[in-house]
């Protein structure tokens, strides 16, 4: 099998950019890896103090963990304030949006309930609605972007009190040159395939395109690409931004994402060219 057969493959991966480039080359693609974001840790002093007060008062009835990174950061700082908090947390129900936050909790000796697949905010909301009662209090550890307003509204309508804790935010990379080049290349028709491993990646791509005054041109360019998503949460975020997803990895892992793209994307491109012809 020729796999990518030399096609140009754009990835917006940041944390594992070198691994992504290696995988694309392994499957015969010409990689263009443009880190799209960096994680900015936020000052948790105030939220941690409030969390401590609520925890000691027995006024936390569920903690929803949306990412492994955010969960690990939060618990590390909480334990640094007082290691005994981890013992108290044994009596608090934790909800995990997928395997990564569940694994992060395990490293601190805590167990959780993983929501049903596709493990988006919808499933987290449904779990909280079915396990909490009116007046109870849920703490949601946010990920790189603010949690969806619709999630807060649904829980609020049910009378569930919600505290959202922004553990970190995603900002543009320190050196945005590769991202700027990726935007211009998409506008000019360079890449053939786009790999997405998080919804924040495409959000930042579009935000930077807007910063360059190329938002509409970049959207038009993205419509030409074969877009491959790592999983349902990523696909949903991309769809909310008006992006069509052509393929979705299953299981939702980086290696599977690249392999699936290499196996199927060239055929999709050939079929599109055939229709045009």
């Amino acid at each position: 099998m020729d796999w990518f057969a030399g096609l140009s493959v754009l990835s917006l991966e940041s944390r594992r950019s070198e691994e992504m480039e290696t995988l694309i080359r392994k499957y015969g693609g010409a990689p263009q890896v443009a880190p799209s974001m960096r994680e900015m840790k936020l000052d948790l002093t105030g939220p941690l103090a409030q969390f401590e007060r609520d925890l000691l008062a027995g006024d936390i009835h569920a903690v929803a963990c949306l990412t492994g990174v955010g969960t690990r950061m939060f618990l590390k700082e909480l334990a640094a304030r007082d290691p005994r908090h981890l013992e108290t947390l044994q009596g608090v129900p934790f909800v995990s949006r997928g395997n990564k936050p569940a694994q992060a909790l395990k490293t601190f000796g805590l167990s959780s309930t993983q929501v049903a697949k596709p493990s988006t905010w919808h499933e987290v909301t449904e779990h909280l609605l079915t396990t909490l009662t009116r007046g109870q209090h849920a703490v949601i550890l946010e990920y790189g972007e603010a949690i969806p307003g619709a999630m807060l509204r649904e829980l609020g309508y049910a009378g569930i009190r919600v505290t959202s804790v922004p553990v970190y935010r995603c900002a543009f990379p320190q050196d945005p040159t590769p991202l700027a080049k990726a935007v211009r290349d998409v506008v000019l028709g360079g890449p053939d395939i786009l790999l997405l491993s998080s919804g924040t990646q495409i959000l930042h791509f579009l935000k930077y395109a807007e910063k360059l005054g190329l938002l509409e041109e970049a959207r038009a360019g993205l419509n030409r690409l074969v877009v491959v998503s790592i999983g349902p949460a990523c696909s949903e975020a991309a769809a909310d931004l008006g992006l069509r997803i052509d393929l979705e990895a299953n299981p939702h892992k980086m290696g599977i994402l690249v392999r699936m793209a290499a196996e199927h994307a060239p055929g999709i491109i050939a079929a599109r060219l055939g229709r045009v012809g």
Side-chain angles (χ1 to χ4, degrees):
M1 179 179 285
D2 290 335
W3 300 107
F4 284 125
L7 291 170
S8 176
V9 183
L10 172 62
S11 166
L12 303 173
E13 179 64 34
S14 300
R15 196 185 311 140
R16 300 168 67 187
S17 56
E18 291 184 5
E19 181 182 350
M20 177 62 85
E21 183 170 348
T22 299
L23 282 167
I24 293 170
R25 290 192 190 281
K26 174 184 174 182
Y27 286 100
Q32 180 180 359
V33 180
S36 55
M37 60 190 183
R38 60 189 167 94
E39 292 162 357
M40 290 182 60
K41 183 178 170 299
L42 301 179
D43 182 3
L44 291 174
T45 304
L48 281 169
Q50 184 60 55
F51 187 90
E52 283 181 313
R53 289 192 291 270
D54 291 340
L55 180 64
L56 295 176
D59 192 33
I60 297 177
H61 304 102
V63 178
C65 303
L66 304 184
T67 67
V69 172
T71 302
R72 196 170 288 108
M73 284 183 182
F74 183 83
L75 291 176
K76 183 178 179 181
E77 292 212 15
L78 184 68
R81 291 171 72 95
D82 188 338
R84 292 174 297 179
H85 289 328
L86 295 179
E87 296 177 22
T88 308
L89 283 172
Q90 297 284 346
V92 176
F94 280 85
V95 185
S96 296
R97 188 182 70 94
N99 187 56
K100 290 182 179 179
Q103 290 299 321
L105 287 165
K106 279 185 180 179
T107 64
F108 289 88
L110 298 169
S111 60
S112 65
T113 299
Q114 288 190 51
V115 298
K117 292 182 179 181
S119 306
T120 68
W121 66 266
H122 296 285
E123 285 72 38
V124 176
T125 303
E126 183 61 29
H127 179 87
L128 294 174
L129 288 173
T130 55
T131 56
L132 298 183
T133 59
R134 181 173 290 276
Q136 288 192 313
H137 180 206
V139 174
I140 302 175
L141 304 184
E142 289 185 5
Y143 46 112
E145 303 296 329
I147 61 177
M151 181 180 190
L152 294 175
R153 286 193 297 274
E154 286 189 40
L155 294 170
Y157 292 153
I160 295 168
R161 293 179 291 125
V162 176
T163 299
S164 59
V165 179
V167 181
Y168 69 97
R169 282 283 182 259
C170 292
F172 290 129
Q174 291 280 12
D175 178 11
T177 306
L179 181 58
K181 183 179 185 302
V183 170
R184 294 189 176 99
D185 286 350
V186 166
V187 169
L188 294 172
D192 302 295
I193 300 161
L194 173 62
L195 305 181
L196 292 176
S197 49
S198 83
T200 307
Q201 291 174 0
I202 191 60
L203 174 64
H204 277 220
F205 179 90
L206 291 172
K207 281 185 175 180
Y208 209 80
E210 185 174 27
K211 183 182 177 77
L212 296 173
L214 295 171
L215 180 58
E216 294 310 312
E217 294 88 341
R219 283 189 176 279
L222 289 169
N223 285 333
R224 184 188 58 81
L225 304 182
V226 174
V227 182
V228 190
S229 158
I230 200 166
C234 178
S235 299
E236 181 181 55
D240 287 344
L241 293 166
L243 191 66
R244 179 199 65 248
I245 298 296
D246 297 292
L247 296 166
E248 185 177 283
N250 188 15
H252 318 307
K253 299 181 181 298
M254 183 182 287
I256 301 299
L257 170 71
V258 180
R259 181 187 173 95
M260 174 177 283
E263 185 174 358
H264 298 289
I268 293 174
I269 292 171
R272 288 179 183 172
L273 291 174
R275 285 199 297 271
V276 172

